[in-house]
Amino acid sequence: MSKFKGIESYSAKDSSYELLPFKFDRFNDERYIITNLVGEYLLIEHDDLEDLVHRKLDVTSSLYSQLRSKHFIRLPKEKSPIELLALKLRTKLSRLSQFTNLHIFVVTLRCDHSCPYCQVSRQSEDKSSFDMTKEMADRSLDFVFKSPSPAIKIEFQGGEPLLNFELIKYIVESAEVRNQIANRDLAFVIATTLSLITDEMLDFCKLHKIQLSTSLDGPEVLHNSNRPRPNKDSYQRFLSGLEQARNRLGYDQVSALMTTTESSLDKVKDIIDEYLKLGFKGIFLRPLSPYGFAIKTKKFMAYNTERWLQFYKAGLDYIIELNRNGVEFSEYYSSLILKKILTAQESGYVDLMNPAGIGIAAIVFNYDGKVYASDESRMLAEMGDKTFELGNILSDSYEDIILSDKLLDAIEESFTLSAPMCSECAFEPYCGSEPVYHHAIHKDFLGRKPESEFCKKNMSIFKHLITLMENDSDTKKLFLGWANR
């Protein structure tokens, strides 16, 4: 029997209700999960599932009412459930007509850190040949303002982008001039370690409302180990830069990301406590990724998915406990997933998008003029794999790049609603296709799903989050708050 149930399969005219499309999978030893096209879910027992598909449900039961309210079933010829499902689906997919929001400018590969797990093949501080030029920046801005998206975010990355701050200033000012005509919702972000930040830079950031995204891996010893500098002062420079930035820009203008290394695995509470101590409102418990320099140094192989999941679940348990004790603190990856599970909104996170977010949610202009489908794509290219190199901003038009076969083929071939195994998976509405990840591991846009660590990680998290919600009403209330922020 197919896992995909629909009106076409079960349309007996004498039935008291009709089935709307849904999928199911075993959730645990006792229950199955059923999901519809927009991610509404219910956990039901095997006998109830059998009764549902054979139209034997008691129409006076609470399960029957739940199924109707979540649009798994409808009364014969009832139109409103179909219309509501269509509305929610249009909402989830509305981004497709308003691509691309995030435009990443890699203004330099130079860096003052030598992180062994770095996803970028960085260069030393004195190699200015690894800087983007003004001509490349101008051509990239031409591309940016051809995007149909009403909101444009320009993010500056490196290396350490502050090593080419003059170009950042040029791009920001040029974009603002163009936007006087384009009238977009324009925002800027600089991804920086803060080690080189100056008052002059911060004054410019304040004037132009530029946000900062920085890196904090945990307490001093761990951070210095993960993110070494020649003088072993990475943490102290981070603290100094953080204080400077907050004093000039405000607390809410500086965010932080961490990366989980092998040394982090038994320190999740210490890492979270460090974020709390420094006044952050949440944390993104992020594993190592198989891209760029992390491949060359084999650091991404330091631990497996199962070990990272233990780290993540322990951290999430601690964060839930903190909230129960009155300390407001979020885990951001969970929040992104919960938005997909509990609302009709997309999270905006490229890895969890379907169709894939590469190119149509985010795109990258590299320091050398080359254009990549995502940040991870250019990291692969730094190691010689140019599968997702879409063209060159100096020689190719907007149409050549955004309609390139390299981009469209990857999006089409990884589309989960038609992909083998994904199309039958009850967790598909919450997941993303991530063709770059699967190509990096399996040399295939779709990947071998039974072997996919991406699938293993996310399916485990989906089940864990749902279990926590189903077992505790206070946790569900907390998660609803995270999902709706």
Side-chain angles (χ1 to χ4, degrees):
M1 182 183 292
S2 171
K3 280 189 175 183
F4 192 81
K5 314 300 178 191
I7 297 170
E8 296 78 14
S9 301
Y10 296 96
S11 57
K13 294 180 180 179
D14 58 347
S15 172
S16 60
Y17 59 84
E18 294 177 349
L19 295 177
L20 297 174
F22 72 86
K23 294 178 280 191
F24 68 87
D25 270 298
R26 182 175 288 280
F27 189 79
N28 54 34
D29 292 339
E30 300 172 354
R31 294 185 291 180
Y32 286 79
I33 183 170
I34 60 172
T35 59
N36 62 18
L37 289 171
V38 296
E40 298 267 19
Y41 81 88
L42 280 173
L43 299 183
I44 62 177
E45 295 181 0
H46 179 268
D47 289 345
D48 289 329
L49 181 60
E50 287 287 329
D51 287 345
L52 168 63
V53 299
H54 292 103
R55 288 177 177 70
K56 294 180 181 180
L57 279 180
D58 180 356
V59 297
T60 65
S61 67
S62 61
L63 177 57
Y64 179 85
S65 299
Q66 288 179 293
L67 289 163
R68 280 205 68 196
S69 68
K70 291 179 178 287
H71 316 310
F72 288 98
I73 60 177
R74 67 170 182 171
L75 296 177
K77 299 183 179 179
E78 187 179 23
K79 292 184 178 180
S80 59
I82 294 287
E83 292 169 349
L84 286 169
L85 276 174
L87 177 61
K88 290 180 180 180
L89 190 59
R90 284 197 299 272
T91 301
K92 280 185 172 287
L93 298 178
S94 61
R95 66 181 175 86
L96 295 179
S97 63
Q98 299 179 346
F99 63 94
T100 305
N101 165 247
L102 178 60
H103 297 80
I104 298 173
F105 284 65
V106 182
V107 294
T108 184
L109 279 193
R110 292 182 289 144
C111 192
D112 62 323
H113 284 66
S114 55
C115 310
Y117 61 75
C118 184
Q119 296 173 1
V120 181
S121 299
R122 71 271 171 177
Q123 301 295 326
S124 62
E125 293 182 56
D126 59 350
K127 295 183 178 180
S128 58
S129 59
F130 291 92
D131 287 0
M132 178 182 280
T133 66
K134 286 186 177 180
E135 181 185 7
M136 294 173 189
D138 286 333
R139 296 291 186 88
S140 299
L141 286 172
D142 291 342
F143 186 109
V144 167
F145 283 95
K146 287 184 179 180
S147 166
S149 176
I152 296 292
K153 178 179 286 186
I154 293 175
E155 180 173 316
F156 300 103
Q157 290 194 15
E160 171 51 71
L162 296 185
L163 286 167
N164 196 5
F165 193 72
E166 287 303 311
L167 186 66
I168 291 177
K169 290 167 63 176
Y170 176 80
I171 294 170
V172 169
E173 292 170 344
S174 298
E176 289 178 338
V177 169
R178 292 172 185 247
N179 201 45
Q180 291 176 7
I181 297 173
N183 197 29
R184 308 295 180 87
D185 181 6
L186 184 62
F188 302 99
V189 179
I190 301 175
T192 171
T193 63
L194 296 177
S195 63
L196 303 177
I197 202 78
T198 65
D199 288 343
E200 180 185 358
M201 293 175 181
L202 288 169
D203 287 342
F204 183 84
C205 290
K206 184 173 183 177
L207 179 64
H208 297 275
K209 298 179 180 179
I210 301 172
Q211 294 182 316
L212 302 180
S213 175
T214 189
S215 303
L216 173 62
D217 281 359
E220 182 172 5
V221 173
L222 178 61
H223 186 85
N224 282 339
S225 173
N226 283 356
R227 298 178 175 273
R229 290 188 82 257
N231 294 325
K232 299 180 180 181
D233 60 352
S234 177
Y235 180 82
Q236 288 302 322
R237 293 180 75 99
F238 163 81
L239 278 188
S240 175
L242 180 65
E243 183 179 7
Q244 273 183 282
R246 282 175 165 173
N247 287 340
R248 297 248 174 176
L249 306 181
Y251 262 62
D252 61 342
Q253 297 301 298
V254 187
S255 60
L257 280 174
M258 60 81 62
T259 301
T260 308
T261 64
E262 188 176 17
S263 301
S264 311
L265 292 173
D266 61 349
K267 300 179 178 65
V268 68
K269 288 188 177 182
D270 296 335
I271 294 168
I272 292 168
D273 285 343
E274 185 71 21
Y275 271 68
L276 282 166
K277 183 182 78 173
L278 295 177
F280 290 104
K281 298 299 184 182
I283 192 169
F284 195 127
L285 296 174
R286 192 173 61 151
L288 283 168
S289 300
Y291 306 113
F293 203 68
I295 292 178
K296 187 174 182 179
T297 60
K298 304 297 182 184
K299 289 294 179 181
F300 82 99
M301 298 172 61
Y303 55 84
N304 60 21
T305 299
E306 191 59 45
R307 183 63 188 91
W308 179 82
L309 284 167
Q310 293 172 16
F311 169 86
Y312 162 83
K313 291 176 182 178
L316 185 59
D317 286 347
Y318 183 48
I319 290 169
I320 292 171
E321 179 186 341
L322 287 170
N323 280 273
R324 284 177 177 159
N325 291 327
V327 179
E328 292 187 12
F329 195 79
S330 303
E331 200 290 305
Y332 293 135
Y333 191 61
S334 302
S335 300
L336 294 169
I337 292 171
L338 288 164
K339 184 176 287 292
K340 298 194 74 170
I341 294 175
L342 298 174
T343 78
Q345 303 295 321
E346 263 292 343
S347 65
Y349 186 59
V350 173
D351 292 8
L352 291 174
M353 285 185 174
N354 178 58
I358 57 172
I360 58 176
I363 201 160
V364 178
F365 310 107
N366 207 27
Y367 73 95
D368 57 1
K370 293 175 182 177
V371 182
Y372 295 102
S374 67
D375 203 20
E376 293 79 12
S377 302
R378 66 114 175 177
M379 295 169 187
L380 281 180
E382 293 291 344
M383 301 306 295
D385 186 341
K386 299 183 179 181
T387 301
F388 298 93
E389 183 182 309
L390 305 182
N392 193 301
I393 203 67
L394 297 178
S395 57
D396 297 309
S397 70
Y398 175 84
E399 292 76 15
D400 290 338
I401 291 170
I402 208 69
L403 297 175
S404 66
D405 287 341
K406 281 190 172 185
L407 177 59
L408 298 183
D409 286 351
I411 292 173
E412 181 182 3
E413 290 181 30
S414 63
F415 185 52
T416 59
L417 282 171
S418 59
M421 297 192 74
C422 289
S423 61
E424 297 182 348
C425 178
F427 299 99
E428 182 273 332
Y430 314 138
C431 208
S433 56
E434 245 302 57
V436 181
Y437 176 94
H438 287 112
H439 171 79
I441 300 298
H442 302 298
K443 302 304 177 185
D444 178 89
F445 295 144
L446 183 59
R448 298 187 293 275
K449 298 304 180 183
E451 302 172 22
S452 171
E453 296 298 304
F454 177 84
C455 293
K456 181 179 180 180
K457 178 190 78 171
N458 282 324
M459 285 183 69
S460 179
I461 293 174
F462 301 153
K463 287 186 176 184
H464 188 61
L465 294 174
I466 291 171
T467 298
L468 290 173
M469 285 192 289
E470 293 293 318
N471 290 344
D472 184 76
S473 59
D474 287 338
T475 299
K476 186 169 186 176
K477 184 178 179 180
L478 172 67
F479 284 179
L480 279 166
W482 291 2
N484 286 290
R485 285 178 186 166

